[in-house]
């Protein structure tokens, strides 16, 4: 007879930095390396690295024995107070290459406007998470504060779409908010 979830965790991880907010956002990363096992992405949006509260995300790969305790990849916001990793999500396979991709939100990222926020897409590869950003979107407005969510296939067979939210976007009304759907596209 099934009893549900075990009381004892099968996996625990931490980073041991005071005030980093590690685990403030966690999600399945999908299957980044297409090995048949789901991977995990963890946000620490107040992480201090080269920049003050730049934020960071951590990726752990799944395997037949469960989620690895060894860190696979870390990516950082590279800007003071970007809060990179405030939201994280699997993006599914946005380009149809067979590897899941991930979205990372940085709600206070500056790119021409103060705190306009940004969303970054990192692709999955045979070896796991790609080193660099493959796509990004900015708020293009002060204090837009972007968040992220991946979606299952909606419009395009074999390619995923992503939802981006900007709760403080002004479009004729102060902080009215906005949600955008971006369609994926298959590789040529």
């Amino acid at each position: 007879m099934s009893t549900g979830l075990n009381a004892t965790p099968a996996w625990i991880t931490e980073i041991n930095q005071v005030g980093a907010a590690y685990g403030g956002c966690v999600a399945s990363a999908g299957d980044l390396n297409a090995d048949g096992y789901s991977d995990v992405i963890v946000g620490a949006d107040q992480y201090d690295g080269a920049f003050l509260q730049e934020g960071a995300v951590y990726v752990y790969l799944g395997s037949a024995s469960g989620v690895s305790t060894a860190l696979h990849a870390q990516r950082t916001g590279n800007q003071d107070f970007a809060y990179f990793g405030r939201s994280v999500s699997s993006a599914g396979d946005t380009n149809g290459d067979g590897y899941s991709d991930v979205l990372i939100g940085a709600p206070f990222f500056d790119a021409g406007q103060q705190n306009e926020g940004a969303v970054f897409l990192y692709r999955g590869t045979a070896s796991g998470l790609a080193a660099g950003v493959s796509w990004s979107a900015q708020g293009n407005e002060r204090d837009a504060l972007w968040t992220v969510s991946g979606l299952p296939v909606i419009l395009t067979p074999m390619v995923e779409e992503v939802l981006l939210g900007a709760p403080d976007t002004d479009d004729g009304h102060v902080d009215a908010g906005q949600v955008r759907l971006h369609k994926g596209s298959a590789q040529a």
Side-chain angles (χ1 to χ4, degrees):
M1 180 170 114
S2 177
T3 60
L5 296 175
N6 283 327
T8 305
W11 180 74
I12 297 175
T13 181
E14 56 188 28
I15 63 166
N16 300 319
Q17 184 186 86
V18 173
Y22 180 81
C25 190
V26 297
S28 169
D31 187 359
L32 294 170
N33 56 355
D35 65 354
Y37 301 100
S38 290
D39 307 313
V40 174
I41 185 167
V42 179
D45 71 328
Q46 295 175 47
Y47 170 84
D48 295 328
F51 299 91
L52 186 62
Q53 293 186 339
E54 64 180 308
V57 298
Y58 300 82
V59 175
Y60 301 88
L61 298 179
S63 71
S65 59
V67 181
S68 175
T69 56
L71 177 65
H72 164 66
Q74 177 195 35
R75 303 290 181 264
T76 58
N78 300 318
Q79 185 181 101
D80 285 333
F81 304 105
Y83 295 95
F84 183 82
R86 169 76 51 100
S87 56
V88 297
S89 176
S90 171
D93 183 1
T94 62
N95 62 346
D97 65 356
Y99 303 101
S100 291
D101 308 318
V102 295
L103 288 168
I104 302 165
F108 296 103
F109 190 83
D110 297 335
Q113 302 287 328
Q114 183 179 359
N115 296 339
E116 67 180 292
V119 173
F120 302 94
L121 181 107
Y122 287 80
R123 298 230 185 267
T125 70
S127 58
L129 191 68
V133 174
S134 66
W135 179 88
S136 66
Q138 290 80 37
N140 298 322
E141 172 184 310
R142 182 183 171 118
D143 299 324
L145 308 177
W146 286 91
T147 62
V148 302
S149 178
L151 288 175
V153 174
I154 292 180
L155 304 171
T156 310
M158 302 305 294
V159 180
E160 310 287 337
E161 285 80 26
V162 298
L163 280 176
L164 309 179
D168 290 345
T169 296
D170 301 334
D171 188 15
H173 304 285
V174 175
D175 296 342
Q178 183 180 87
V179 175
R180 296 180 184 177
L181 173 73
H182 288 264
K183 294 173 56 174
S185 60
Q187 289 186 325

